[in-house]
Amino acid sequence: MMTSQPAAMARIISLALTAFIMMIAAISFPFLTLDAQGLHNATSVLDAVLAFNEGLAIPLAVAVAFFIIVIPLIRLGALIYALGPLVRDQPPRSGAKRAFGLAERLRPWSMAEIFIVGVTVALIKVAGLAAVTIGPAFWAFAGVVIITVLKDQMICRYSIWEALE
């Protein structure tokens, strides 16, 4: 049975804001550092995108950027836009229904969790060949994934659509 939980919207918006800020941190800080046979290489999430920035791999760079950075940020921003006034007991903004609908349509295309799983598997394989130091962006990105999963589990889409009416 469905019951009303007054603090649910506040928890969802808090998690969305936290994930948004952590995503900005994940993009801004070093993701990991590799040291192998005297060679030192530090990389960021943007460096991972730009690694495919040549020749025929440019469409792959665009896809990676959209799936792991742009779409998750748009999704979080749309959710914050749609639910922000509802938390303060104000009427929904104009376009709030469209924003929430966009966030829902983008949900299957947000691939941050796939990226972090892929990176973790690659790090396990590389760890035997080089010294790997995990940077703050890795932890921020992992936090984004965990918070996004929690947020998505807490959302009662029916209640949100009703509140936006």
Side-chain angles (χ1 to χ4, degrees), residues 101-125:
L102 176 65
E104 287 298 296
R105 283 191 306 279
L106 290 178
R107 188 165 36 121
W109 299 104
S110 182
M111 302 284 177
E113 57 275 0
I114 305 301
F115 175 71
I116 203 73
V117 169
V119 167
T120 303
V121 169
L123 287 176
I124 291 169
K125 297 288 186 181

Side-chain angles (χ1 to χ4, degrees), residues 11 15 26-27 45 54 58 60 73 77 90 92 119 121 123 142 148 151 155 162:
R11 284 193 298 262
L15 290 171
I27 296 167
V45 173
E54 292 182 17
I58 290 175
L60 182 59
L73 284 174
Q90 295 175 346
V119 167
V121 169
L123 287 176
T148 301
K151 175 190 61 61
I155 289 179
E162 285 294 314

Side-chain angles (χ1 to χ4, degrees), residues 22-133:
M22 288 180 79
M23 181 62 109
I24 299 300
I27 296 167
S28 304
F29 293 110
F31 194 78
L32 60 88
T33 304
L34 294 172
D35 289 308
Q37 299 175 353
L39 297 173
H40 177 80
N41 189 11
T43 189
S44 68
V45 173
L46 290 178
D47 292 334
V49 170
L50 295 176
F52 304 108
N53 200 19
E54 292 182 17
L56 296 176
I58 290 175
L60 182 59
V62 171
V64 169
F66 268 90
F67 291 132
I68 67 170
I69 298 171
V70 176
I71 290 175
L73 284 174
I74 290 173
R75 188 167 172 248
L76 291 166
L79 193 61
I80 292 165
Y81 177 83
L83 300 183
L86 300 178
V87 172
R88 297 184 307 263
D89 291 327
Q90 295 175 346
R93 291 185 177 113
S94 64
K97 285 193 269 187
R98 281 192 313 251
F100 185 69
L102 176 65
E104 287 298 296
R105 283 191 306 279
L106 290 178
R107 188 165 36 121
W109 299 104
S110 182
M111 302 284 177
E113 57 275 0
I114 305 301
F115 175 71
I116 203 73
V117 169
V119 167
T120 303
V121 169
L123 287 176
I124 291 169
K125 297 288 186 181
V126 171
L129 305 172
V132 178
T133 305

Side-chain angles (χ1 to χ4, degrees), residues 22 26 30-31 116 133-146:
M22 288 180 79
F31 194 78
I116 203 73
T133 305
I134 295 173
F138 178 88
W139 299 114
F141 217 88
V144 166
V145 169
I146 292 167

